Amino acid sequence: ESSKSIPKLHPGAMAASEIPEFGEADTFPTDHEELQLTQLIEISETGPSTLEGGCANTQLSQERLLQQPRFCLGQRYARSQMAEFAGKASEFDTHETSELNLEQLHEELLATLQGIPDSYWKNRSRSNVRQRGETYSYQICLGLIRSGSWRGIPMPSRETYNLLGLTRRILAYLVGLAEAAGIPASELEGTTIQLTKNLESKMHRDKYNRGPSFITILSPPGTAGGQTFIEDLAGDYVYRLSEDIVGIGEAGDLIRGQAEQARKHLVRFNGNLRHCTMPFEGERYAVILFSLGVAYPETPALVRSFLECLGFRMPAPLEGSAFTEASSSEARHLAQRAASGEEVEDEAGRHKPPRGGVKHLVLAQRAAS
């Protein structure tokens, strides 16, 4: 079968507002479909010469196609994404580098977030945190995410490249708050920063996170309420659910916990426990640092180096697992260039890797069979 008979792989990347919930990418294929899709990708990029008759001809080749291409695909995604987005700062980013105290950093970050228009914040994912009847919320994700566009391989969000200065300043602010709270810097690990604007999140769990999460609130004088309720059997506050929420409870259920006020200080909590935002009046920006749990060991070395250059303290994989790709001096060099705002060229002569989500690839393969 010639390569001309292979269905076209959809290259379109998802817009930020279309990225699936973090950890919940498009439906993944079965092992049999994975093998066929891998062959499809290999043929479309290298031509049929690498395979006999469009299929693997040895058991070793089949094992390579099942295991190696996802590792290699992550490398290609990382370099291709960096070439596409590096050096393209947003007009809403901050370029401040001066050393400030915590109060000054709070005011600077608040002003930067206030200067980002609602159209940039608008997000239709994470429906589990929106109140009933709401079709979108105002959120920005910086750092590591999973998306169907990259077949679930953890990659930086586009906004991370666009908002390098803001990302750095937020991480510096969190380090300062941690020191003030007596939290050792070594414990302030995280892969991702979730920013929300005026979001009264309903009761939910962040079931795809791992380890502790950290939250702080940026708000101008006059904002009232907005505590973060966190489930705690020893807590002194009781929250009554006003509606049925799948996986959380039924209307009328009572949840015991703590109502933590995180304005201008850092609160550490377990995102796997039930939590929500208490009602508030005024303007409220939440900054949540957390660690991605699903597929984290698949994070490409180039991506890890890039985020570390920005100030993320990336956690080690869980015991019993390891990163599928070791770091390298080349990855660190390219990451430093991208983190400093320079453009980074793609590998010479390489095609763009297939994008568009596993679901699209599965449908394309099924249509051709």
Side-chain angles (χ1 to χ4, degrees):
E1 184 178 8
S2 76
S3 59
K4 293 183 180 179
S5 65
I6 300 299
K8 183 178 180 180
L9 300 176
H10 301 281
M14 292 183 179
S17 61
E18 298 174 320
I19 293 174
E21 283 192 42
F22 308 119
E24 296 186 291
D26 290 343
T27 303
F28 288 93
T30 64
D31 288 343
H32 177 65
E33 288 173 326
E34 177 73 20
L35 173 59
Q36 292 179 311
L37 290 173
T38 303
Q39 293 171 342
L40 187 69
I41 293 165
E42 290 292 312
I43 296 170
S44 67
E45 292 202 335
T46 65
S49 59
T50 59
L51 302 171
E52 286 188 11
C55 61
N57 60 353
T58 66
Q59 181 63 35
L60 180 61
S61 295
Q62 294 216 11
E63 291 176 0
R64 180 181 62 82
L65 290 171
L66 282 169
Q67 299 173 16
Q68 292 300 316
R70 188 160 175 85
F71 160 81
C72 295
L73 193 59
Q75 290 179 317
R76 284 182 284 170
Y77 278 145
R79 184 64 177 268
S80 177
Q81 187 209 43
M82 184 172 282
E84 183 175 0
F85 298 143
K88 297 177 174 61
S90 167
E91 61 184 298
F92 311 118
D93 196 15
T94 179
H95 302 288
E96 288 291 334
T97 57
S98 57
E99 293 210 12
L100 303 175
N101 60 37
L102 287 178
E103 184 65 32
Q104 292 169 326
L105 264 176
H106 175 277
E107 297 308 307
E108 178 200 301
L109 289 171
L110 178 60
T112 300
L113 296 177
Q114 289 173 326
I116 300 175
D118 287 350
S119 58
Y120 196 98
W121 285 92
K122 194 171 184 179
N123 188 295
R124 297 188 183 277
S125 72
R126 302 193 73 218
S127 59
N128 66 316
V129 304
R130 297 197 302 259
Q131 299 293 333
R132 184 189 295 273
E134 295 180 348
T135 58
Y136 63 87
S137 58
Y138 294 128
Q139 303 188 61
I140 296 172
C141 192
L142 303 172
L144 206 60
I145 65 171
R146 293 182 74 232
S147 166
S149 294
W150 306 305
R151 298 184 71 186
I153 296 172
M155 299 284 288
S157 68
R158 180 196 301 243
E159 288 74 18
T160 311
Y161 286 98
N162 296 157
L163 300 170
L164 296 175
L166 177 61
T167 302
R168 277 200 178 90
R169 296 299 261 186
I170 287 175
L171 289 168
Y173 182 57
L174 294 180
V175 169
L177 290 178
E179 292 176 353
I183 300 173
S186 60
E187 296 181 13
L188 195 66
E189 294 181 331
T191 65
T192 312
I193 297 168
Q194 186 72 40
L195 304 176
T196 71
K197 175 181 178 179
N198 298 333
L199 175 64
E200 186 180 319
S201 62
K202 70 180 182 182
M203 193 69 71
H204 67 285
R205 286 188 178 95
D206 301 319
K207 59 184 179 180
Y208 294 107
N209 294 5
R210 55 162 283 195
S213 298
F214 303 87
I215 184 171
T216 188
I217 303 301
L218 303 165
S219 60
T223 298
Q227 297 92 337
T228 301
F229 175 86
I230 305 164
E231 182 180 15
D232 183 349
L233 295 178
D236 56 8
Y237 191 96
V238 176
Y239 186 99
R240 183 188 296 272
L241 287 180
S242 60
E243 62 177 309
D244 296 347
I245 304 176
V246 176
I248 300 297
E250 299 179 351
D253 283 356
L254 301 179
I255 303 174
R256 181 169 292 279
Q258 298 282 6
E260 300 280 1
Q261 181 53 265
R263 185 174 187 269
K264 293 187 177 182
H265 78 273
L266 198 64
V267 172
R268 176 164 43 186
F269 69 102
N270 182 351
N272 298 134
L273 297 176
R274 292 177 289 185
H275 59 283
C276 69
T277 305
M278 305 292 286
F280 63 90
E281 295 181 359
E283 200 172 11
R284 180 184 185 273
Y285 296 87
V287 179
I288 305 104
L289 176 70
F290 67 93
S291 293
L292 190 69
V294 179
Y296 177 60
E298 294 185 323
T299 307
L302 182 59
V303 169
R304 301 197 310 270
S305 294
F306 171 61
L307 295 180
E308 287 168 350
C309 286
L310 293 178
F312 284 95
R313 184 180 291 273
M314 306 291 283
L318 294 175
E319 187 176 352
S321 63
F323 288 118
T324 56
E325 181 189 2
S327 187
S328 67
S329 57
E330 181 187 14
R332 289 189 290 271
H333 172 70
L334 294 173
Q336 288 170 355
R337 288 179 54 192
S340 66
E342 296 181 38
E343 293 186 356
V344 174
E345 67 282 355
D346 202 349
E347 295 175 283
R350 295 304 297 267
H351 296 290
K352 276 197 171 187
R355 290 164 64 175
V358 170
K359 181 168 65 177
H360 296 87
L361 291 169
V362 170
L363 292 175
Q365 196 281 330
R366 285 174 179 166
S369 61

